[in-house]
């Protein structure tokens, strides 16, 4: 699917439909662990009728404390690498699978803006992680352009594209 630079609602819904088809084909349940996307991935997936057959849970964790309590992110990881890091997103995706009955998970953490960026981690910096139960997690760093809405839309699209890839590999 060819996406516009900032995906529309229709493009996101189409991607969600492709993910739903693959999750069902694999006979899995899906869980999301979101920070900068604020539940938008879960919302897009559950906009699909019948999503309760394959969508298990969605967790939104902005604070360090929530990442620790709800997803089992190690406080030392957050202290040493920060919330927006490969280490944190991999712990988030693993924690989501450990805490719920799902067979596949996606996690996102980033800086959507307009504030919060630093020279090392500017606005638009997003880490996304994917993992299937029993497999190894993998993560990818993105630098999305645009305002808060644009960064979040691109995050949702990239998360869904990565889920589709994770399910078909």
């Amino acid at each position: 699917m060819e996406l516009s630079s900032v995906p529309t609602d229709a493009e996101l819904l189409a991607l969600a439909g492709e993910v739903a088809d693959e999750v069902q084909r694999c006979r899995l349940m899906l869980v999301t662990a979101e920070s900068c996307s604020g539940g938008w991935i879960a919302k897009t997936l559950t906009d699909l009728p019948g999503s309760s057959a394959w969508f298990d849970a969605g967790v939104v964790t902005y604070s360090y404390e929530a990442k620790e309590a709800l997803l089992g992110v190690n406080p030392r990881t957050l202290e040493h690498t920060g919330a927006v890091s490969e280490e944190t997103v991999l712990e988030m995706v693993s924690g989501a699978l450990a805490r719920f009955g799902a067979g596949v998970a996606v996690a996102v953490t980033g800086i959507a803006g307009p504030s919060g960026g630093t020279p090392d981690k500017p606005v638009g910096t997003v880490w996304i992680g994917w993992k299937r139960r029993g497999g190894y997690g993998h993560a990818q760093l993105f630098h999305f352009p645009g305002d808060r809405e644009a960064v979040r839309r691109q995050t949702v699209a990239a998360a869904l594209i990565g889920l589709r890839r994770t399910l078909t590999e």
Side-chain angles (χ1 to χ4, degrees):
M1 165 183 238
E2 186 76 23
L3 294 176
S4 56
S5 59
V6 177
T8 64
D9 288 344
E11 289 171 322
L12 293 177
L13 196 58
L15 278 173
E18 293 173 15
V19 169
D21 291 345
E22 288 302 320
V23 171
Q24 291 174 89
R25 182 187 63 76
C26 294
R27 298 173 193 234
L28 297 174
M29 295 294 283
L30 169 70
V31 63
T32 63
E34 303 181 61
S35 188
C36 66
S37 53
W40 198 337
I41 300 165
K43 183 241 186 274
T44 301
L45 290 164
T46 59
D47 278 348
L48 298 169
S51 57
S52 61
W54 51 268
F55 186 88
D56 186 35
V59 179
V60 177
T61 59
Y62 266 60
S63 70
Y64 280 19
E65 294 79 12
K67 285 175 177 61
E68 293 168 21
L70 299 175
L71 297 171
V73 175
N74 190 315
R76 286 183 294 284
T77 301
L78 293 166
E79 182 182 323
H80 293 297
T81 67
V84 181
S85 67
E86 180 177 20
E87 296 84 353
T88 295
V89 83
L90 287 172
E91 289 186 26
M92 288 172 68
V93 77
S94 292
L97 283 178
R99 283 164 166 67
F100 297 94
V104 64
V106 61
V108 300
T109 184
I111 305 163
S115 61
T118 66
D120 289 345
K121 297 177 184 177
V123 169
T125 302
V126 177
W127 277 98
I128 305 178
W130 304 270
K131 186 175 180 180
R132 282 182 74 154
R133 185 171 297 284
Y136 292 103
H138 57 281
Q140 187 173 349
L141 174 63
F142 296 87
H143 294 284
F144 295 124
D147 63 10
R148 183 175 182 81
E149 169 108 355
V151 168
R152 290 171 58 151
R153 280 184 178 277
Q154 292 168 92
T155 298
V156 174
L160 294 172
I161 290 166
L163 266 173
R164 185 181 61 197
R165 185 176 56 245
T166 299
L167 291 162
T168 55
E169 289 179 340

